[in-house]
Amino acid sequence: MKALLLAGGLGTRLRPLTEELPKPLTPVCNRPWLEHLMVHLRDQGIREFVLAVKTHADKIQSYFQDGQALGVHIEYAYEQSLLGTAGAIKNAEHLLDGRFLVFNADIVHLVNVAPLLEFHERHGGLVTIGLTEVNDPSHYGVVELTKQGEILRFVEKPKREEAPSNHINAGIYVMETSVLDWIPKNRETSIERETFPALIDHCVGVYGMPVDGYWLDMGTVDRYMQLHDDIFAKRAPVHMSYRMTREGVWMGKEARVHPGATIIPPVVIGEGAVVQSGCTVGPYVSLGDHAVVRAGASVSRSIVWPGATVGSEELVSDAVVGRTFVTQACRPAPSAAVREQETANEREPVMQR
Ligand code: GTP
């Protein structure tokens, strides 16, 4: 079975990060998010991928190429202009056959696909939408379901007390190719706002199945940073690419930390990264491959992108540092539990060689 990954959007909410790299290449603990997703699916036996690309398509293709390095096979469907989430699926028609999976490439949800496929087979619909449960559905399109799991309607951003359920579209679908007959060619169309409502109106079998586990739409800077906090706190099950050298400290190959620097876990230090003397790095820091923290600088609760530099004596906190930008998060202050853990960590700084 093929998985189609929608990876061509503008990522406007994630600017300025997406001016340097497209959203699918946004590093999450030093690996592009899309790589985490493909590896997760590969490990469940999915080895055929179609990437629907437009924005920064060249960067995405030059990173993943034909997928051989990841042990998968990747084909690309290019758009001349942005076609929206449904238009992008239609544009990949020539690469799809039979039943296929679709994933929004910016959704962090490492779902187990077997139960979703089994549900789809059992109900025999055209589409099964993976659903996730949220506490406050008032910001989302909420689904109303029958007991058998058929979707009756979507209610856009309902008042909390009027929401028919707490289930929202998780951005993961199982589809039959006949769905493509419902999508017009060469025109911008939204799968959520146009195709699904039309299919539901015609009662052709759109089902929803709640899928378990951590879910996050990585569409904003704050949520991108939230994701890292959740990974460090082990709430989000993202695999670290490096070995753990001490509790809460993951180091890539050839990283160099000066003996006079202080590392406060949890911290990820990328391959070939350099931490110079007198620096403090951590807690809750992901330092990209070949990033440099110059003498006397201090970095906490931040993500430093591959190849970026923190200048000497600089203080960086709650920020994303790229090669061409620094962006400050507006996320809430850490909770009492996090502060307590941070203070405990600070009491026992770990010296790295
Ligand atoms: P914002 O501009 O911040 O809303 O981001 P976005 O448009 O990149 O993401 P959005 O949440 O709207 O889209 C969900 C997923 O669909 C993301 O993975 C996008 O990359 C992808 N996507 C959105 N529009 C298109 C499109 O026109 N073509 C393709 N190929 N993918 C798209």
Side-chain angles (χ1 to χ4, degrees), residues 44-124:
Q44 295 182 61
I46 294 166
R47 287 171 191 273
E48 294 288 323
F49 290 92
V50 177
L51 301 195
V53 289
K54 164 73 182 85
T55 313
H56 290 305
D58 51 334
K59 289 187 180 162
I60 295 175
Q61 187 174 8
S62 85
Y63 184 84
F64 290 111
Q65 308 211 6
D66 63 1
Q68 206 182 359
L70 295 181
V72 300
H73 179 240
I74 302 176
E75 293 169 290
Y76 295 84
Y78 300 93
E79 285 148 62
Q80 296 299 325
S81 60
L82 281 174
L83 292 173
T85 44
I89 299 173
K90 181 74 176 174
N91 186 57
E93 188 165 16
H94 60 291
L95 300 172
L96 300 168
D97 49 40
R99 188 171 294 169
F100 60 97
L101 286 154
V102 179
F103 289 81
N104 280 0
D106 59 347
I107 296 291
V108 179
H109 195 158
L110 298 175
V111 71
N112 183 0
V113 291
L116 197 63
L117 293 171
E118 192 272 323
F119 177 100
H120 182 80
E121 174 74 23
R122 191 154 34 91
H123 288 78

Side-chain angles (χ1 to χ4, degrees), residues 1-248:
M1 180 172 299
K2 284 190 179 178
L4 171 65
L5 309 180
L6 297 174
L10 286 171
T12 43
R13 291 168 298 153
L14 211 51
R15 282 181 185 153
L17 281 61
T18 42
E19 281 157 20
E20 193 165 304
L21 280 178
K23 197 158 47 167
L25 294 187
T26 305
V28 170
C29 289
N30 286 350
R31 288 286 162 268
W33 167 246
L34 203 57
E35 181 174 331
H36 286 291
L37 177 61
M38 279 198 272
V39 166
H40 173 77
L41 293 172
R42 178 201 66 195
D43 292 347
Q44 295 182 61
I46 294 166
R47 287 171 191 273
E48 294 288 323
F49 290 92
V50 177
L51 301 195
V53 289
K54 164 73 182 85
T55 313
H56 290 305
D58 51 334
K59 289 187 180 162
I60 295 175
Q61 187 174 8
S62 85
Y63 184 84
F64 290 111
Q65 308 211 6
D66 63 1
Q68 206 182 359
L70 295 181
V72 300
H73 179 240
I74 302 176
E75 293 169 290
Y76 295 84
Y78 300 93
E79 285 148 62
Q80 296 299 325
S81 60
L82 281 174
L83 292 173
T85 44
I89 299 173
K90 181 74 176 174
N91 186 57
E93 188 165 16
H94 60 291
L95 300 172
L96 300 168
D97 49 40
R99 188 171 294 169
F100 60 97
L101 286 154
V102 179
F103 289 81
N104 280 0
D106 59 347
I107 296 291
V108 179
H109 195 158
L110 298 175
V111 71
N112 183 0
V113 291
L116 197 63
L117 293 171
E118 192 272 323
F119 177 100
H120 182 80
E121 174 74 23
R122 191 154 34 91
H123 288 78
L126 279 196
V127 182
T128 299
I129 301 177
L131 304 175
T132 192
E133 203 167 352
V134 290
N135 287 333
D136 179 5
S138 58
H139 303 292
Y140 301 95
V142 182
V143 299
E144 184 174 349
L145 290 166
T146 65
K147 281 210 175 76
Q148 291 68 40
E150 186 159 6
I151 297 180
L152 295 173
R153 61 181 179 130
F154 286 94
V155 186
E156 266 312 306
K157 302 192 172 88
K159 285 189 188 146
R160 209 167 173 164
E161 58 283 9
E162 289 168 12
S165 75
N166 278 20
H167 285 120
I168 63 163
N169 176 350
I172 301 168
Y173 319 117
V174 187
M175 289 185 179
E176 301 296 322
T177 23
S178 48
V179 169
L180 300 170
D181 300 340
W182 292 79
I183 306 175
K185 254 190 174 164
N186 300 327
R187 135 162 126 67
E188 188 179 350
T189 350
S190 157
I191 198 84
E192 305 88 346
R193 287 189 297 278
E194 293 169 70
T195 316
F196 290 156
L199 292 172
I200 290 166
D201 281 352
H202 288 82
C203 303
V204 292
V206 178
Y207 287 85
M209 182 195 147
V211 280
D212 289 334
Y214 181 87
W215 184 88
L216 186 95
D217 169 358
M218 206 179 57
T220 64
V221 174
D222 286 353
R223 292 212 218 112
Y224 175 55
M225 299 192 78
Q226 174 70 46
L227 172 62
H228 282 75
D229 288 353
D230 289 344
I231 294 169
F232 284 133
K234 301 191 174 75
R235 287 187 293 268
V238 169
H239 176 72
M240 294 284 189
S241 323
Y242 310 132
R243 69 189 176 95
M244 202 196 275
T245 53
R246 292 175 187 232
E247 184 59 35

